[in-house]
Amino acid sequence: MNKVEVMNELNDITLFFDEPLMNFTFTKTGGPADILAFPKSKEEVAALVDYCKNQDIPWLVLGNASNLIVRDGGIRGMVIMLENMKQVSVEKKQIIVEAGAKLIDTTYVALENELTGFEFACGIPGSVGGAVYMNAGAYGGEIKDIFTSVDILLEDGTIQTLTNKDMQFSYRHSAIQGMHAIILQATFSLEAGNADTIKAKMDELTELRESKQPLEYPSCGSVFKRPEGHFTGKLIQDAGLQGLKWGGAQISEKHAGFIVNIDHATATDYVELIAHIQQVIKEKFDVSLETEVRIIGE
């Protein structure tokens, strides 16, 4: 992969080479991406995908890199981050949002426009694209509850619109997880509400989150999906694992469902600790913990 050739071909797009992804992930871990691209528009996203296809370069989208672990070997090919695509517009009771917009910022746009239904997401630190991809949820609400449609770019360069039904939403799942596609923008339908009531709900959920979650340390958010009939944090506590340190990573003493980076942890520390937790919980309680966090890279 010739750096000069890539830059000449994609000269309007912000590119970095051999860029450590620990500079972007919420865990502050992760090896380098061969190419890291920051497109500003759907046209630039299409140009990147087209270039990768023609040059036989693998690509993937990182979203906001919040609920994600990139292994220490990094990622070969091109990593696309959409954080410069963050436009939010409001049409009556609908919010149309580009994929790179932060979910938290979008909930405040809803508040400013006195629209209710998005409050549950006011503390989720991901991007809108990532939230749609994994049907993010918190405090009794999920993306599927307010989702209308999404525009995605397919590998062949065509743009397709998927409806709520097309997305086959379930717990932390959407149909896009089985596709090699890029979310460009999503539309959400909300209800007219009262600004004071909406703000009070958001304040209550923010306080709840701050009191329960270890926000003072880097982390990848909730590590495991909730197993049916159990609470992950309680299983980890009951197994005597809470507070366990593994290299620079630790099972949070504040919330056992989180692993925090307390001392220059590596992605390997995270991955090994996750495997250890899964093994212990399976042995002690015969419960299989499935990761909510995505683990990618070499």
Side-chain angles (χ1 to χ4, degrees):
M1 207 182 319
N2 185 307
K3 183 174 165 180
V4 176
E5 270 175 33
V6 178
M7 289 175 76
N8 286 340
E9 194 73 28
L10 301 168
N11 60 351
D12 291 336
I13 302 171
T14 304
L15 301 172
F16 296 92
F17 295 84
D18 298 317
E19 181 70 21
L21 290 167
M22 65 187 293
N23 296 336
F24 302 93
T25 60
F26 273 50
T27 57
K28 303 297 177 203
T29 66
D34 289 346
I35 310 172
L36 181 61
F38 290 90
K40 298 179 289 297
S41 65
K42 63 185 178 189
E43 290 78 16
E44 289 192 353
V45 176
L48 290 169
V49 170
D50 189 52
Y51 180 79
C52 287
K53 187 175 154 191
N54 292 335
Q55 300 295 322
D56 204 23
I57 297 169
W59 58 266
L60 65 79
V61 177
L62 265 205
N64 203 31
S66 53
N67 201 210
L68 184 80
I69 294 168
V70 177
R71 292 188 181 94
D72 296 317
I75 297 174
R76 305 291 68 81
M78 183 181 288
V79 171
I80 301 169
M81 292 192 80
L82 303 178
E83 61 182 47
N84 293 331
M85 292 173 59
K86 55 187 177 192
Q87 289 224 282
V88 184
S89 59
V90 179
E91 291 178 13
K92 295 182 179 166
K93 294 181 192 172
Q94 288 196 323
I95 294 189
I96 299 104
V97 200
E98 286 190 314
K102 289 185 170 63
L103 201 55
I104 293 170
D105 294 348
T106 308
T107 67
Y108 280 92
V109 173
L111 168 63
E112 284 159 21
N113 287 272
E114 298 199 36
L115 294 171
T116 183
F118 228 139
E119 293 90 326
F120 74 89
C122 69
I124 299 175
S127 65
V128 165
V132 169
Y133 179 87
M134 66 173 294
N135 186 26
Y139 302 115
E142 288 180 301
I143 285 294
K144 71 176 176 60
D145 304 334
I146 55 171
F147 176 92
T148 302
S149 65
V150 66
D151 294 340
I152 61 171
L153 179 80
L154 300 172
E155 276 190 289
D156 64 5
T158 57
I159 291 177
Q160 190 178 342
T161 301
L162 302 179
T163 64
N164 197 313
K165 192 178 173 193
D166 297 329
M167 290 289 281
Q168 299 164 22
F169 284 122
S170 58
Y171 177 62
R172 300 298 174 264
H173 173 82
S174 77
I176 295 178
Q177 291 174 19
M179 306 164 75
H180 199 203
I182 298 178
I183 295 172
L184 298 172
Q185 74 172 27
T187 301
F188 303 99
S189 292
L190 304 171
E191 295 295 328
N194 171 277
D196 292 339
T197 309
I198 296 166
K199 177 81 165 62
K201 182 69 178 169
M202 288 169 72
D203 288 346
E204 178 197 336
L205 295 181
T206 300
E207 198 176 314
L208 205 56
R209 180 171 173 264
E210 287 173 352
S211 68
K212 291 192 167 177
Q213 296 183 12
L215 305 178
E216 61 275 21
Y217 291 107
S219 87
C220 55
S222 194
V223 177
F224 300 103
K225 293 178 182 176
R226 189 177 61 246
E228 211 169 316
H230 298 276
F231 290 102
T232 308
K234 174 123 179 34
L235 286 171
I236 293 169
Q237 281 175 335
D238 291 349
L241 293 173
Q242 188 163 17
L244 176 68
K245 293 186 178 119
W246 198 283
Q250 181 183 35
I251 300 173
S252 169
E253 292 175 324
K254 195 171 183 181
H255 188 314
F258 286 67
I259 296 175
V260 290
N261 182 347
I262 57 163
D263 184 21
H264 305 93
T266 62
T268 303
D269 294 339
Y270 265 87
V271 172
E272 288 179 355
L273 181 51
I274 287 168
H276 178 70
I277 294 166
Q278 288 171 317
Q279 184 187 341
V280 171
I281 299 304
K282 182 69 179 166
E283 284 170 4
K284 281 186 182 284
F285 308 113
D286 197 29
V287 174
S288 299
L289 287 183
E290 206 183 318
T291 52
E292 179 173 314
V293 64
R294 280 172 73 206
I295 301 172
I296 58 174
E298 296 184 346

